Amino acid sequence: SQISAGSRTNPGAYSSQGDSGTQFSLGDTRSLDEVISKLIDDEYIPSFCTACYRLGRTGEHFMEFSVPGFIKRYCTPNAILTLAEYLEDYATPKTAKKGWKVIEREIKGLDNFKRVEELQNRLGRIKKGERDMYF
């Protein structure tokens, strides 16, 4: 359920000093945008969500939400919000266009989510530059 796209494995790879040699070879060398674009093409919603962890919905508390399926009340809306942030800040124009279509489709499918209006409001706020919103 998780992938690590765009990761670097060589020591110092994230520093401004540059590359200090490859530690080992990755099997998937696509950029993050390429991976996100492919997931969108396959009709998945890539999620960068960390809300449960930050709100303490972990361990046994997380399982209380997860086992009966209540966690979906948070996961899909939070995935939509984090994808929107990615689309606004990092995606190529082509990926952004596809991503916003997937978000629109997903919102239409949120029949049981009582806060659709609030979700749409938050998406508008993201488009205006606000960040780090979650349910």
Side-chain angles (χ1 to χ4, degrees):
S1 68
Q2 295 180 350
I3 58 175
S4 184
S7 293
R8 299 177 186 172
T9 61
N10 44 319
Y14 294 105
S15 72
S16 61
Q17 325 253 295
D19 193 352
S20 62
T22 302
Q23 185 175 7
F24 54 86
S25 197
L26 290 176
D28 188 344
T29 58
R30 295 174 294 174
S31 69
L32 177 58
D33 193 76
E34 289 172 304
V35 173
I36 297 300
S37 182
K38 176 64 174 149
L39 290 168
I40 290 168
D41 288 343
D42 291 343
E43 299 187 356
Y44 290 105
I45 306 172
S47 176
F48 298 90
C49 182
T50 60
C52 285
Y53 177 76
R54 293 189 297 163
L55 292 171
R57 292 189 296 242
T58 59
E60 189 175 324
H61 185 58
F62 176 81
M63 295 307 290
E64 291 170 1
F65 282 88
S66 182
V67 172
F70 300 144
I71 200 67
K72 286 184 177 185
R73 297 177 190 166
Y74 303 103
C75 289
T76 301
N78 286 336
I80 289 170
L81 292 172
T82 61
L83 176 58
E85 287 186 25
Y86 172 81
L87 298 175
E88 287 294 302
D89 294 344
Y90 304 107
T92 61
K94 182 179 177 184
T95 299
K97 184 177 180 180
K98 293 188 301 185
W100 283 109
K101 285 182 182 178
V102 166
I103 286 173
E104 288 174 26
R105 184 203 72 216
E106 232 14 76
I107 289 173
K108 289 177 185 173
L110 288 174
D111 298 332
N112 297 330
F113 185 62
K114 298 180 184 343
R115 298 176 70 186
V116 170
E117 191 174 312
E118 176 59 24
L119 175 60
Q120 290 172 325
N121 174 279
R122 291 179 189 196
L123 288 170
R125 290 164 53 193
I126 287 170
K127 287 182 178 182
K128 291 179 181 176
E130 197 169 335
R131 297 293 179 264
D132 201 30
M133 289 179 277
Y134 46 85
F135 290 95

